């Protein structure tokens, strides 16, 4: 009898202990963990949750995706943490907006309500026609004062613009890239060489959000929130940075910069420059007149760090 009562007391005590013991993270459903993460205000807080337990990882990913952060692929070895990508993106959001861009014969603006305006002409260079350059659709070839572009579809707020010789790029506040103008050699990144007379969305990565663009002569650069640099268009002089002289009809990430985080980009007529988070500057493309800064005039088809700036921090 004493043994039975003792056993019963032990069972009751065990039940009380089980009721009072806090639930283990492993026993909570992912939806519950995701809800907890969604209530955390900043990526720093999500980082603390992620470091607490591996059980939080999927929940953290859901929370970051819900906030539309551009996250790296799971096999991206240079990204040890999902929240590091989110923290990096917040820093990328500090990239200054570029509300005005000067092309060869046109100018593009972004007003304080996020709308695009342009003026100038599509006829230049001894009468050579550049259809679609102004972005107002077919038939609008000259505007003597800034005029809002009739962007169709859902309401889009733009953040930055960049005008090249015969095309223009723009980035929306959502991180989408738009292009219009001459499409020859793939400079619009649309998978073809057709011209576009009005802004057309460009696919830059599958889950990336762009923070900056730069339109060159016949090529383009895009910088995403993760610090990845993409290029497309004419590559005949190595200005795309892919190690060859091929053109790209769609955006292609520059592989030689995969271990670096881009912070700024600039595309000129036949060469390009990229600044990275460690203060380095890289150049590639046509080296005539020493424009690449490497002490020679050689063509450089892959990004090469500018040695003369190693003692400087380019920010």
């Amino acid at each position: 009898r004493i043994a039975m009562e003792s056993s019963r007391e032990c069972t009751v005590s065990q039940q009380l202990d089980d009721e009072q013991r806090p639930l283990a993270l492993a026993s909570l459903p992912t939806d519950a963990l995701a809800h907890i993460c969604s209530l955390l205000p900043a990526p720093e807080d999500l980082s603390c949750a992620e470091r607490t337990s591996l059980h939080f990882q999927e929940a953290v990913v859901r929370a970051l995706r819900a906030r539309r952060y551009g996250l790296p692929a799971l096999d991206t070895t240079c990204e040890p943490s999902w929240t590091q990508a989110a923290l990096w993106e917040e820093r990328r959001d500090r990239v200054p907006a570029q509300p005005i861009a000067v092309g060869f014969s046109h100018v593009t603006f972004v007003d304080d309500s996020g709308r695009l305006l342009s003026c100038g002409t599509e006829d230049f260079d001894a009468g050579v026609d550049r259809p679609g350059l102004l972005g107002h659709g077919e038939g609008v070839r000259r505007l003597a004062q800034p005029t809002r572009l009739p962007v169709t579809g859902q309401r889009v707020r733009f953040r930055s613009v960049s005008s090249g010789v015969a095309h223009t790029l723009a980035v929306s506040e959502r991180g989408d890239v738009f292009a219009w103008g001459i499409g020859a050699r793939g400079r619009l990144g649309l998978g073809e060489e057709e011209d576009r007379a009005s802004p057309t969305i460009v696919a830059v990565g599958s889950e990336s959000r762009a923070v900056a663009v730069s339109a060159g002569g016949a090529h383009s650069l895009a910088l995403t929130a993760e610090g990845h640099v993409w290029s497309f268009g004419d590559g005949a002089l190595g200005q795309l940075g892919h190690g060859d002289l091929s053109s790209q009809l769609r955006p292609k990430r520059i592989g030689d910069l995969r271990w670096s985080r881009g912070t700024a980009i600039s595309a000129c007529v036949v060469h390009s420059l990229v600044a990275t988070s460690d203060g380095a500057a890289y150049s590639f493309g046509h080296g005539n007149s020493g424009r690449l800064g490497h002490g020679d005039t050689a063509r450089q088809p892959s990004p090469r760090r500018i040695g003369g700036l190693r003692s400087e921090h380019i920010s």
Side-chain angles (χ1 to χ4, degrees), residues 155-169:
R155 181 80 171 98
V156 179
R157 288 181 59 88
F158 289 92
R159 183 173 184 268
S160 296
V161 288
S162 178
S163 295
V165 174
H167 72 298
T168 299
L169 304 173

Side-chain angles (χ1 to χ4, degrees), residues 226-307:
E226 304 93 335
H228 301 165
V229 182
W230 300 68
S231 64
F232 46 99
D234 183 19
L237 294 170
Q239 61 266 49
L240 296 186
H242 297 302
D244 56 29
L245 306 182
S246 301
S247 296
Q248 297 292 330
L249 298 182
R250 297 185 185 278
K252 179 180 179 180
R253 184 180 170 188
I254 299 179
D256 283 0
L257 294 175
R258 64 185 178 279
W259 306 118
S260 303
R261 301 178 187 274
T263 58
I265 53 176
S266 182
C268 196
V269 177
V270 289
H271 70 301
S272 306
L273 279 87
V274 175
T276 56
S277 61
D278 58 358
Y282 295 81
S283 62
F284 42 99
H286 192 28
N288 189 35
S289 302
R291 69 190 73 191
L292 298 183
H294 300 305
D296 56 30
T297 60
R299 183 170 55 198
Q300 183 65 43
S302 299
R304 179 181 174 186
R305 184 170 184 177
I306 301 177

Side-chain angles (χ1 to χ4, degrees), residues 104-315:
F104 188 84
S105 66
H106 73 297
V107 182
T108 311
F109 309 86
V110 179
D111 66 15
D112 58 3
S113 62
R115 287 174 291 194
L116 295 172
L117 304 91
S118 69
C119 61
T121 180
E122 295 182 354
D123 301 316
F124 67 98
D125 192 18
V128 176
D129 188 23
R130 296 293 185 270
L133 192 59
L134 297 177
H136 287 267
E138 297 181 2
V140 180
R141 306 179 60 153
R142 185 184 298 269
L143 293 169
Q145 60 183 7
T147 305
R148 288 176 179 167
L149 273 67
V151 179
T152 59
Q154 62 181 354
R155 181 80 171 98
V156 179
R157 288 181 59 88
F158 289 92
R159 183 173 184 268
S160 296
V161 288
S162 178
S163 295
V165 174
H167 72 298
T168 299
L169 304 173
V171 179
S172 73
E173 289 188 350
R174 284 174 46 87
D176 295 321
V177 174
F178 291 78
W180 63 96
I182 296 296
R185 299 176 185 173
R187 72 193 76 185
L188 300 184
L190 301 174
E192 57 186 18
E193 298 186 65
E194 297 296 322
D195 302 337
R196 288 292 188 276
S198 58
T200 305
I201 196 167
V202 182
V204 180
S206 59
E207 297 180 350
S208 297
R209 183 166 64 140
V211 294
V213 288
S214 185
H219 76 292
S220 305
L221 299 178
L223 174 66
T224 67
E226 304 93 335
H228 301 165
V229 182
W230 300 68
S231 64
F232 46 99
D234 183 19
L237 294 170
Q239 61 266 49
L240 296 186
H242 297 302
D244 56 29
L245 306 182
S246 301
S247 296
Q248 297 292 330
L249 298 182
R250 297 185 185 278
K252 179 180 179 180
R253 184 180 170 188
I254 299 179
D256 283 0
L257 294 175
R258 64 185 178 279
W259 306 118
S260 303
R261 301 178 187 274
T263 58
I265 53 176
S266 182
C268 196
V269 177
V270 289
H271 70 301
S272 306
L273 279 87
V274 175
T276 56
S277 61
D278 58 358
Y282 295 81
S283 62
F284 42 99
H286 192 28
N288 189 35
S289 302
R291 69 190 73 191
L292 298 183
H294 300 305
D296 56 30
T297 60
R299 183 170 55 198
Q300 183 65 43
S302 299
R304 179 181 174 186
R305 184 170 184 177
I306 301 177
L309 294 174
R310 286 185 179 273
S311 61
E312 308 292 336
H313 191 282
I314 307 302
S315 59

